[in-house]
Amino acid sequence: MNHKNIFIEKTMGKMLWSFIMLLTHIVTYSTGIMFWLIVIFSKKHISKMEMYTSTFFALYFELLANVILDLKYDLYGYFNKGVDWATLPALLVIFPAVNILFLNFYPFTKSISKQILYILICSIIGISFEWIYLQTEFFYHNGWSLWYSFLSYPWIFYILFLNLRIIRKLLKSS
């Protein structure tokens, strides 16, 4: 192979990689914008204070999980191994919106079985988005699998629900 062909292959590889990364950002930010439009235009069932405080808890919880599972054990990650600042804007757009949507539409007054079903449906949606992000290389697995996520998401959503209950008790007592 001559030098011209090697240069073309490297250039095409870089162009393809750049295109994939562009698509990754488009999918990620489009998702975030879509979620925020739903948050903005949907009827609110939780207060602004509940949205605010539960979002900080969700971000802290997500950060704690990522420090342990991503940075310490390298089971998964975003884009590249280690701290990658490119993920920060996406995470700050998506995670707060997901938290607010989940809690805003939570069936608080429905039966336990409907609440469990709601958590399972949200978990399946979360796994679907995780699969999409795996395809776009925004997210990677390194010893982690979608099955672990399937087992984890219901607990994550349940913890977000429990946190909102604590927030409500604290607001009521103050």
Side-chain angles (χ1 to χ4, degrees):
M1 192 179 290
N2 65 34
H3 293 292
K4 185 177 179 183
N5 289 343
I6 292 171
F7 175 76
I8 291 171
E9 282 185 19
K10 285 183 179 181
T11 304
M12 291 303 289
K14 288 179 183 178
M15 288 175 53
L16 180 61
W17 178 250
S18 296
F19 180 70
I20 290 170
M21 295 312 295
L22 177 65
L23 282 178
T24 298
H25 288 287
I26 289 170
V27 168
T28 303
Y29 288 109
S30 296
T31 301
I33 291 167
M34 177 185 67
F35 286 168
W36 275 106
L37 287 173
I38 295 169
V39 166
I40 291 166
F41 292 110
S42 64
K43 182 178 179 189
K44 305 303 181 283
H45 302 284
I46 59 176
S47 71
K48 289 179 183 177
M49 181 59 79
E50 291 168 340
M51 287 185 230
Y52 182 76
T53 53
S54 66
T55 294
F56 274 104
F57 175 81
L59 286 170
Y60 175 78
F61 191 51
E62 185 268 335
L63 177 66
L64 182 63
N66 283 343
V67 165
I68 294 168
L69 299 175
D70 177 6
L71 299 178
K72 182 169 176 55
Y73 294 111
D74 191 31
L75 293 174
Y76 62 76
Y78 303 90
F79 295 115
N80 302 303
K81 182 177 178 176
V83 177
D84 193 336
W85 293 103
T87 61
L88 192 58
L91 297 178
L92 290 175
V93 169
I94 292 174
F95 281 99
V98 168
N99 171 66
I100 292 169
L101 287 173
F102 169 74
L103 294 174
N104 190 55
F105 294 108
Y106 192 89
F108 294 102
T109 60
K110 304 293 183 192
S111 67
I112 297 293
S113 61
K114 287 190 179 181
Q115 292 180 33
I116 291 170
L117 178 63
Y118 179 76
I119 288 174
L120 290 175
I121 290 169
C122 289
S123 298
I124 290 167
I125 292 168
I127 290 165
S128 300
F129 274 101
E130 183 174 329
W131 182 84
I132 291 167
Y133 290 136
L134 285 168
Q135 306 314 304
T136 62
E137 299 186 17
F138 172 76
F139 192 66
Y140 68 88
H141 286 167
N142 185 32
W144 192 260
S145 78
L146 288 174
W147 288 109
Y148 298 153
S149 296
F150 182 75
L151 296 173
S152 301
Y153 280 136
W155 291 106
I156 293 167
F157 284 121
Y158 184 65
I159 289 168
L160 292 176
F161 161 74
L162 290 178
N163 180 65
L164 182 60
R165 287 183 57 187
I166 292 168
I167 291 168
R168 286 182 170 174
K169 283 183 182 182
L170 291 171
L171 287 172
K172 195 174 189 177
S173 69
S174 61

